[in-house]
Amino acid sequence: MNGFHPPIDNPELLKQLSDHELQAVLLEGVSRTFALTIPQLPEALYPAVANAYLLCRIVDTIEDEVSLSPLQKKRFCDSFIEIVKTGCGAEAFADELAPLLSAQTIPAEHSLIRLIPRVIAITHTLSAPQIEALACCVETMASGMPVYQALDLHAGLKTMKDMDDYCYYVAGCVGEMLAKLFCHYSPEIAAHRDELLRLSVSFGQGLQMTNILKDIWDDAKRGVCWLPQDIFDETGFSLADLKPTTNDERFRKGLERLIGIAHGHLQNALTYTQLLPSHETGIRNFCLWALGMAVLTLKKIKQHLDFNESNQVKISRNSVKATIVASKLSARSNWLLSLLFNLTSSGLKTPDWQYSPVSHTGP
């Protein structure tokens, strides 16, 4: 890209970029983390994974748009599912949605919505199995997320099962899609397909739970809470009482238990990564960087349970660099990866407690 690209808020100029350049610039604009991790993937995987992230981000943008009613969000989500599947109608969709976006939506997302026809055109340059994996993920996410728009979330979700379901719609299905793309890319990886698909949902949940825990207070300021009440019932705290000024030992105890559950999911994320062939260092690093940053974030939350804004538990640039270096040095060795994980995540478990649902409704 010669170090220069048009400004992110100028979709007309961005249109002139090549497919690869356009996806790279949009990724940089909407997610610094993924702009860092996706280029680690093998060349054959980059276009599909970059495109997948942009498609998911379009769904997120619709969901987060304050100017849209729950009914409008559902209609746009339903239409987008069909557009991803068929490749048709993207132009009219973008023309209708783009003018409705408010100033609260960041410039990069405004451009992303304007450029939906181009993003969809890139989707349909991919192979049929790749398109199917992406379309399946978008359908799960875009049909699941609007359900939560209609809920009153000021007092949290009712149960851990509800949190599991929410995490599946926003992250677990993304994990499944990535596992499908990795299996399509490599027969050697596909040998573990069933186990990778199972673990990928847990991987996604571990990352999503970490984000939810980090953003508790930002969400509370908006009158929203994604935590499950049943975890806090045992500690005697009602999430209906959660405010940005809350300072309560019972709340912190519940928080510790959720950190322990998230740790279990990240343990599965490590197993997932260790199932990938050791010579696939690009895919392993892609997984390890996300996993490492999540572990360090959980550790920071555990050390500062009295934090009251997300910046206080955001990991430093040096921590990100250390994660990258440690991953690169140990990516090929499952033994080293286990050692590193156990060292960095020590103290995240809650050994004297185990979650037991009051009434189990799932399979």
Side-chain angles (χ1 to χ4, degrees), residues 29-271:
V30 296
S31 172
R32 289 249 169 109
T33 305
F34 282 102
L36 191 71
T37 58
I38 293 176
Q40 304 313 307
L41 292 167
E43 219 172 295
L45 273 169
Y46 177 88
V49 177
N51 191 259
Y53 184 80
L54 294 176
L55 295 177
C56 293
R57 193 57 183 238
I58 290 164
V59 178
D60 278 344
T61 303
I62 295 167
E63 290 303 329
D64 294 342
E65 179 48 67
V66 292
S67 74
L68 298 176
S69 69
L71 206 63
Q72 282 176 303
K73 289 179 182 183
K74 185 170 182 343
R75 183 171 64 80
F76 278 118
C77 280
D78 289 346
S79 300
F80 191 60
I81 292 167
E82 286 311 304
I83 289 165
V84 174
K85 283 182 182 174
T86 63
C88 303
E91 201 84 48
F93 181 87
D95 288 346
E96 187 187 355
L97 178 57
L100 300 177
L101 298 184
S102 64
Q104 281 189 40
T105 294
I106 61 170
E109 287 176 344
H110 276 267
S111 288
L112 177 60
I113 298 302
R114 288 269 177 209
L115 291 163
I116 283 174
R118 186 69 185 283
V119 174
I120 292 293
I122 297 170
T123 308
H124 284 268
T125 64
L126 303 172
S127 70
Q130 289 177 321
I131 295 169
E132 192 184 343
L134 269 59
C136 180
C137 174
V138 167
E139 181 164 19
T140 302
M141 188 182 268
S143 54
M145 282 168 68
V147 172
Y148 295 88
Q149 292 291 331
L151 299 180
D152 177 2
L153 290 166
H154 85 281
L157 296 162
K158 285 191 172 62
T159 66
M160 191 65 222
K161 166 82 167 62
D162 295 326
M163 189 185 205
D164 292 345
D165 290 345
Y166 173 69
C167 287
Y168 175 69
Y169 288 129
V170 296
C173 65
V174 179
E176 282 180 326
M177 173 198 62
L178 288 169
K180 289 175 190 173
L181 291 176
F182 295 164
C183 288
H184 173 257
Y185 158 80
S186 158
E188 199 180 344
I189 294 174
H192 299 286
R193 183 184 172 92
D194 291 347
E195 199 175 355
L196 287 170
L197 282 170
R198 182 179 60 78
L199 292 168
S200 69
V201 174
S202 191
F203 196 153
Q205 177 152 353
L207 299 182
Q208 187 61 28
M209 281 186 76
T210 302
N211 283 335
I212 288 171
L213 295 174
K214 173 175 67 72
D215 294 333
I216 288 166
W217 304 111
D218 297 358
D219 290 337
K221 284 173 190 163
R222 300 185 294 115
V224 169
C225 176
W226 294 105
L227 306 178
Q229 179 59 57
D230 66 344
I231 294 287
F232 293 87
D233 284 342
E234 291 180 37
T235 69
F237 182 80
S238 170
L239 291 174
D241 300 332
L242 189 66
K243 299 177 187 70
T245 51
T246 295
N247 181 4
D248 192 306
E249 189 54 44
R250 295 168 304 168
F251 174 70
R252 291 193 281 273
K253 199 172 179 70
L255 207 52
E256 274 190 298
R257 291 174 177 182
L258 284 171
I259 290 169
I261 292 172
H263 170 270
H265 287 296
L266 294 180
Q267 184 93 54
N268 286 341
L270 176 69
T271 305

